[in-house]
Amino acid sequence: MTVTATSLVPATSSSRSTTLANLDLVLKHFGAERSQIVESTVLVRNLRENFDTTARPHAEYFGEHRPTSTVMGVSDLALPDQLVEIGALVRLDVKP
């Protein structure tokens, strides 16, 4: 299963936390947990300006679990105030 979480709050460090909280809601809906995420893709607007404040919450979110992760800088996202979009590949057949 592939899921995507976005945050529609203004581009601040709290938007990253909101995006990760949205990801938790999607996981819960499908009966999945963070430990079942095998890959994440993070799209970040203005990556050079926002890398540190995006990478830190991402690492904290996963804790000791380290799925394959790709971070890509983009010039823009779908919504004007959107700063980050996170996609995750989840293995539902892997027990948490």
Side-chain angles (χ1 to χ4, degrees):
M1 171 183 74
T2 302
V3 298
T4 301
T6 60
S7 175
L8 306 181
V9 298
T12 64
S13 61
S14 67
S15 67
R16 294 143 188 94
S17 298
T18 301
T19 303
L20 293 168
N22 290 346
L23 182 55
D24 278 339
L25 291 174
V26 174
L27 292 172
K28 182 178 178 181
H29 175 78
F30 289 98
E33 296 181 14
R34 293 177 189 181
S35 62
Q36 291 172 284
I37 296 173
V38 294
E39 179 182 339
S40 71
T41 302
V42 183
L43 305 178
V44 183
R45 192 168 43 130
N46 301 320
L47 181 62
R48 289 186 181 162
E49 296 172 22
N50 296 303
F51 180 78
D52 289 338
T53 56
T54 300
R56 189 176 314 109
H58 185 266
E60 290 170 359
Y61 176 81
F62 285 107
E64 295 297 315
H65 176 61
R66 294 286 188 231
T68 300
S69 296
T70 301
V71 178
M72 291 184 280
V74 296
S75 59
D76 231 342
L77 290 165
L79 302 170
D81 286 341
Q82 188 177 356
L83 178 65
V84 64
E85 181 172 317
I86 299 174
L89 181 62
V90 180
R91 292 280 311 263
L92 295 176
D93 61 329
V94 173
K95 297 295 177 201

